[in-house]
Amino acid sequence: MKVLTVGGGGREHAIVEAFHRAGSEIFAVMKNANPGILDRASKYKLVDETKVDEVCAFAKECGVELAFVGPEAPLAAGLVDALEKIGIKCASPTQAAARIESSKTFMRDLVEKYKIPGNVVYKSFDNAADAKAYIRPLGTKFVVKPVGLTGGKGVKVMGEHMKAIEDADKYIDEIFSGNIGGAGVIIEEKLEGEEFTQMVFCDGKKISPMPLVQDHKRAYDGDMGPNTGGMGSYSEADHLLPFITAEERQKSLDIIQAVIDALAKEGCPYKGVLYGQFMLTVDGPKIIEFNARFGDPEAMNVLSILESNFEDVCKQIADGKLKGDVKFANKATVCKYAVPKGYGTSNVDSGREISFDMENLAKSKAILYYANINKVENTLITGSSRTAAMVGVANSTDEAEWNSEVGLSCINCDYIFVRHDIGKASLIRKRVDHMARLRGQ
Ligand code: AMP
Ligand code: GLY
């Protein structure tokens, strides 16, 4: 089929590779000239992906039959609605269904309305004074979030990113005065536990689960530093994670199915990939957030071991008829991102030349996914977001971690950094011990 892909990051390069393996002909729109996507596309257009009219015009001109949208911004801008209007099938959610991500208040209210388990205590505010009054009695047991989209960087946790109540006041003021996320503030109960990502494919009614993945949001080794879009992630050969039981995982799938049922009842059935981010607490999985798309980096873990034909899966989703379970290899994966120096702060180094030792990379067992890189003539230039990801796939997590590191050693650039602890046995042990401690074991 002629397929339109939207987005130019590492996640989208992984999506494009999955379509390529399925035999699709690829037409791509993206902001940056991602060299991996350029190589696979019959035709591409460099454009802001939220420019719905321009994306639709390109799709029509190329005669695409099926579209898949990578990032959240074009979903929130109504790209799927517009593509469907001109007769192009989509394996991504409409604007109304994507509110599950684009409005944290919509998500929390929906979960509450349908009495779905896993919710937190929360309250939304349209002014700073009321939000500040509300947090006064909460001590350190709260988090502050902008209601709208912030690229995964908007959440501040009391006791971690904010030390004193005055820091929280200041952040609330910043959100309103700077219009961060666009739609006010939500204060949530602070959860304690281990985070995990459960993504599913969904055809509007039925879901098919992907392997569990654990992302690493903090910028530096040892879970230090600011929150980022995600520095890297791992998944295990049994598709679970070492700190979670199969029953606990099933609870998160039940929550996701209940959310899908609720969206259908609300008149906005959900088609596409739904991303559930959970905190595994001593009381079971609790909802941190939902995303209306693949996670980045999590997409690179799961798509690297996808065994089903991705085009078939997407076509079935678009047609509302997912047939059977989507299949993944029983392999462990470790994904580590190289990111520009300063990434996660307001002072990011970008615009630097980067190159890859392709000869040694080809000999390694690492899979390279290009991310926020711009190919200008024959030179690759870093952007201000995550640069490139290396994924190791193997029978064990240790081996997958090693493969990813070998890949990273093939990058030539002095202006990037990596969280080397991701996927290492010592860090995974820390996660398992943390959960055991909370369970009183
Ligand atoms: P989000 O953008 O909602 O995924 O949040 C980013 C990060 O903030 C999450 O990965 C968590 O580490 C943290 N976080 C978000 N909500 C909560 C919560 N209610 N309790 C504790 N940590 C949270
Ligand atoms: N990895 C987190 C996200 O994609 O939002």
Side-chain angles (χ1 to χ4, degrees), residues 277-296:
Q277 194 185 354
F278 295 92
M279 185 78 86
L280 180 62
T281 72
V282 286
D283 302 317
K286 302 266 184 185
I287 301 162
I288 292 186
E289 67 167 359
F290 286 104
N291 293 326
R293 52 174 173 81
F294 273 119
D296 187 348

Side-chain angles (χ1 to χ4, degrees), residues 125 130-139 142 144 165 168-169 172 187:
F125 297 93
D130 289 348
K132 287 183 197 170
Y134 177 79
I135 59 175
R136 286 289 167 294
L138 301 181
F142 67 92
V144 180
I165 192 98
D169 289 346
I172 290 169
I187 309 287

Side-chain angles (χ1 to χ4, degrees), residues 204-246:
K205 287 194 209 91
K206 186 177 167 294
I207 63 173
S208 177
M210 303 187 212
L212 292 184
V213 187
Q214 189 172 40
D215 185 20
H216 297 73
K217 292 255 174 196
R218 296 299 197 99
Y220 316 130
D221 276 40
D223 293 323
M224 308 295 279
N227 267 346
T228 68
M231 294 294 295
S233 44
Y234 69 97
S235 68
E236 302 260 343
D238 63 0
H239 299 171
L240 291 173
L241 288 164
F243 50 82
I244 189 169
T245 64

